[in-house]
Amino acid sequence: MQGITAEYLNGLKKALSIEISVRYFASRAGAFAALREGTIDLIETSTEAEVKVLGGDDRRLHFYPNRALFQDRHPA
């Protein structure tokens, strides 16, 4: 991993004592499909427009501008 996102993830890894692994996808659509399927937990960066197009109406997907997109595994 490299870049600012790698720094954030390494900080989380250390602070929470968790394992973090990075997966690469051939396309953004593939990454979004994996997020919807629950095989990954986070897409490090995205735009609101991209979430609307690739994420569809999946309410489990959360978008925070200039942050990360993640899947809520424990919906209320």
Side-chain angles (χ1 to χ4, degrees):
M1 285 190 295
Q2 60 186 10
I4 192 71
T5 300
E7 295 298 323
Y8 291 146
L9 292 175
N10 282 325
L12 283 173
K13 180 179 179 177
K14 289 178 184 176
L16 301 175
S17 298
I18 58 174
E19 187 60 36
I20 294 177
S21 57
V22 176
R23 291 184 52 194
Y24 297 94
F25 292 88
S27 68
R28 297 294 285 176
F32 272 83
L35 186 65
R36 281 192 306 277
E37 294 163 1
T39 56
I40 64 170
D41 299 311
L42 177 119
I43 294 177
E44 42 101 11
T45 58
S46 190
T47 65
E48 189 171 7
E50 185 178 47
V51 173
K52 287 179 181 177
V53 170
L54 297 173
D57 61 357
D58 192 331
R59 296 177 193 267
R60 295 172 301 153
L61 303 184
H62 300 277
F63 172 75
Y64 295 94
N66 302 318
R67 291 179 182 80
L69 176 72
F70 68 94
Q71 177 185 24
D72 183 358
R73 289 191 176 207
H74 306 284

